[in-house]
Amino acid sequence: MTLQAYQEKAAVCWAGCKQRYGVLMANPHLNGGQKLAVHYFTVAMVLFMAQLLFGLLAGLQFLFPGFLYEILDFNVNRMVHINAMVVWMLYGFMGSVYWFLEDESGVEIVGLKWGQLAFWVLTGAVTIVVLVYLFIQFGAGNDTSLWLINEGREYIEAPRWADFGIVAVVLTFFYNVAATFAKGQWSGIAGVLTLDLVALAGLYLAGMFYVTNISVDQYWWWWVIHLWVEATWEVLVGCIMAWSLMKLLGVRRQVVQTWLYIEVALMFGSGILGLGHHYFWIGTPEYWFTIGGFFSALEPIPLVAMVVHSIYDSGVHRFKNSNHPALTWVIAHAFGNFLGAGVWGFMHTLPQINLYTHGTQWSASHGHLAFFGAYATINIAFFYLAAQQARGNVWMGGDLVNGWRWKTAAILLNVGVLGMTVALLIAGYEQSFIERAMEGSTWAGYFAAQNHPWFMQAMIWRMLFGLMTAAGGALLFWDLLEIGKGETRPAAVIGEAVTVE
């Protein structure tokens, strides 16, 4: 294919995407909050694809260290890969809440124009930050670079001005949610969600001040990484899942809200204490060894129980579901959250084990499965819920036209991420054994581990499964644009189940 032919084909494809997007935004089936949610979902999927792309580039550089050297170095690819992941998930969560906010409250969203402005502010800021990451990553770090280029903290590298923008956007989001529920109906989901958004804005502040002592800096940095991402996000996901299960399966509100309350209780009872598993090696007292190692594994339990109880409850009350893709991803979330955040996390957070695994690919193994299983899966489930209503609440059950697309995408994504997880676990085991146990964390041990055949083979397998994951992501994007189009059968009416005596 010539360059001109490729450009013409790309232009036709882009025009088709814009036309479909325009039709979606003019959709009479969507209220104001849901139209705003479509913006969030669109950017979320674009950032998801960017995450996959830069992850592949970073994976290639493990195999070919000279690949794109001094053009797009590994540290930049890794940084964009991780930050794109964090931001697209945040976009998905915010879009999901805007989607169900009017339905849950019974009134129109208060301050919707402020929400729309916040979306464009956030998207503009993300675009600028990514461009800076890609093109301005040279020179010594100083006060100017901290404010304008890179804050220098792993996982939250955004410059200081962008930090203020994130907090402002989350506060606007909090106002929209709190004011809407205050004007309309109040529920258990509303109460938990509103309080959680206070923490979502407040805890991010812990990573925004500068201290010269590295242990103190790491102490507050972990408040963002653990309590912002692993605690407030878990509760936010619980609210989204609770509403989704009522819509998907007609589960009784009292079932999902009970587990939501237990999730909040465990966040206070175990999530905050579980933060201690990050304190092992930064000079904090020894009692954090036991406290942090034990409690950090308890957080995913209520969300898994919510899904299991909900499926049981809907089965008792004549199980009905007309959105098989969304239900599939909700179940994938239950398993992924339990395995990735629970089992894989607990495997290496006990200090006796973490002594050998800290900073190895074992951590990356846990991170890949935990973030995908706990957060990506529930976002994708909600994307399918939204797609169903946007198409006019049509049938999306077992005999859906072109149903192979969502099934294949689900298989590729889940198998791909699980394959990467196992490959990274093998690499991490090899590093822990050779670099830590045998060589005593010396530089010689580090290089011996990095050049060991097991490590290199694991990186090859990680790359292959990464390609599988990327293929699944592309197919998912295509399916979300096309699913339900031309379908005329209405979805089954699924109301909240009632107990029959």
Side-chain angles (χ1 to χ4, degrees), residues 18-31:
K18 287 198 294 184
Q19 182 182 14
R20 285 192 289 269
Y21 187 74
V23 170
L24 186 58
M25 292 310 298
N27 197 316
H29 304 291
L30 305 184
N31 58 44

Side-chain angles (χ1 to χ4, degrees), residues 353-390:
I353 301 172
N354 197 250
L355 174 66
Y356 300 96
T357 63
H358 189 75
T360 68
Q361 295 295 333
W362 204 307
S363 300
S365 173
H366 160 55
H368 277 74
L369 188 57
F371 273 96
F372 180 79
Y375 303 127
T377 48
I378 192 62
N379 269 340
I380 295 171
F382 209 99
F383 293 168
Y384 275 111
L385 267 176
Q388 183 178 36
Q389 185 170 334

Side-chain angles (χ1 to χ4, degrees), residues 41 55 66 74 80-81 144 228 242 282-283 309 341 393 423 435-436 472 488:
F41 294 157
F74 173 81
V80 177
H81 172 63
T144 302
W228 191 66
I282 62 171
H309 194 165
N393 202 29
E435 177 185 333
R436 302 293 170 80
T488 57

